[in-house]
Amino acid sequence: MTIQQTELLYLPPDLKSELLPKHVAVIMDGNGRWAKGQGLPRIMGHKRGVDALKNLLRCCKDWGIQALTAYAFSTENWNRPHEEVEFLMTLFQGVLRQELREMVEENVEIQFVGNLQALPVALQREISHSMAQTRGNQSIKFTVATNYGGRQEIVQACQAIAQKVKEGLLNPEEISEELFAGHLYTAGIADPDLLIRTSGEMRLSNFLLWQMAYAEIYITDTLWPDFDRNQFHQALRAYQQRERRFGGV
């Protein structure tokens, strides 16, 4: 039995494997509110949020979803309290180091997108190491958007293309959607089919602005640390009830 066939055995019977999204993206909102509701410091919400993300990654792999992208840290998140930002950077580094072996064993490919050069040097090293160690793994592509901003991504793509035109390497007539997408942080990664946002907020928050052109959007009031397989099941069931026309009739 192949890996894919084994994974699909876990799929709930009311979901159709042929109608699953190939790529799911998540805006993991509500960690701080969850912690406040529990009478805990905000950092405990972020720790629980990591557990929720690990569980979702496992679920995607078990159910045969090919790619998961998580919005871990935006360019705007630097405006949070200094102690919280420092904790998050340390948390990212520790989780990568702790989980790398399992990701290798589970055949997960991890990739980071965003302005990674602005991250702490120690975290940059951990990111580079984890990507190198998992490159080519095929059970699921796990992308983590870190120090990521959709507008920033589009601007840097425009700058790179403009530079090529300036140097005579590219004619303006050759610029296409495919060429533009190839200059984004997410070059080579298929666009998301489904975006899930927790905590009831109804906005994109500067996340994958180009790539979300035809994504289905699912909003839940559930706070991210409480988002589990049952919640994901509901999101997929709602997704499968929609008709995706991509602008057609």
Side-chain angles (χ1 to χ4, degrees):
M1 182 176 294
T2 66
I3 294 175
Q4 181 73 3
Q5 288 171 329
T6 302
E7 289 168 353
L8 290 181
L9 291 176
Y10 296 95
L11 191 67
D14 61 337
L15 295 178
K16 298 178 180 179
S17 60
E18 68 273 15
L19 295 180
L20 287 173
K22 294 181 174 63
H23 183 179
V24 173
V26 289
I27 299 178
M28 306 176 292
D29 202 7
N31 289 342
R33 274 167 283 176
W34 180 90
K36 183 178 180 180
Q38 303 291 322
L40 299 170
R42 286 177 60 87
I43 61 174
M44 295 305 297
H46 295 309
K47 285 185 176 180
R48 282 294 297 267
V50 169
D51 293 336
L53 181 57
K54 287 168 55 180
N55 290 336
L56 179 60
L57 178 62
R58 166 68 66 179
C59 189
C60 286
K61 181 176 179 293
D62 286 348
W63 291 355
I65 291 169
Q66 299 171 14
L68 172 67
T69 296
Y71 201 9
F73 192 86
S74 75
T75 51
E76 293 77 22
N77 286 156
W78 294 108
N79 296 320
R80 292 186 176 187
H82 178 71
E83 295 78 10
E84 183 176 350
V85 171
E86 277 199 336
F87 172 81
L88 286 170
M89 296 297 115
T90 303
L91 179 65
F92 295 159
Q93 185 178 342
V95 168
L96 273 178
R97 186 181 300 118
Q98 178 181 338
E99 302 296 331
L100 179 58
R101 181 175 178 179
E102 184 174 355
M103 285 192 290
V104 171
E105 292 174 349
E106 294 287 338
N107 203 26
V108 174
E109 180 178 25
I110 188 168
Q111 181 171 337
F112 285 78
V113 295
N115 181 13
L116 305 181
Q117 290 73 30
L119 298 173
V121 174
L123 178 55
Q124 290 185 49
R125 286 198 295 263
E126 208 67 50
I127 286 173
S128 296
H129 179 63
S130 66
M131 290 196 296
Q133 291 296 307
T134 63
R135 186 171 293 119
N137 287 354
Q138 296 181 349
S139 68
I140 185 171
K141 181 182 284 291
F142 179 37
T143 304
V144 184
T146 309
N147 195 26
Y148 174 90
R151 288 183 173 183
Q152 176 194 66
E153 177 183 34
I154 290 171
V155 167
Q156 68 86 29
C158 291
Q159 290 171 338
I161 293 171
Q163 186 63 34
K164 289 182 178 180
V165 173
K166 180 180 178 180
E167 295 174 358
L169 301 175
L170 184 68
N171 293 319
E173 299 77 18
E174 296 176 294
I175 299 173
S176 63
E177 290 187 13
E178 291 74 21
L179 185 139
F180 188 85
H183 287 78
L184 297 174
Y185 293 136
T186 56
I189 303 173
D191 292 344
D193 303 297
L194 171 64
L195 169 66
I196 298 171
R197 179 160 191 160
T198 56
S199 85
E201 301 292 351
M202 297 188 184
R203 55 181 177 268
L204 290 178
S205 295
N206 203 16
F207 184 44
L208 300 178
L209 299 181
W210 173 275
Q211 298 88 338
M212 291 295 181
Y214 288 105
E216 297 294 323
I217 299 176
Y218 178 85
I219 307 292
T220 174
D221 290 332
T222 301
L223 301 178
W224 176 250
D226 291 326
F227 191 84
D228 57 17
R229 285 197 176 209
N230 289 331
Q231 296 286 334
F232 189 42
H233 182 185
Q234 292 178 31
L236 293 178
R237 189 163 53 189
Y239 172 84
Q240 294 199 346
Q241 291 171 354
R242 301 182 187 181
E243 183 181 356
R244 304 188 73 200
R245 296 188 296 274
F246 300 96
V249 177

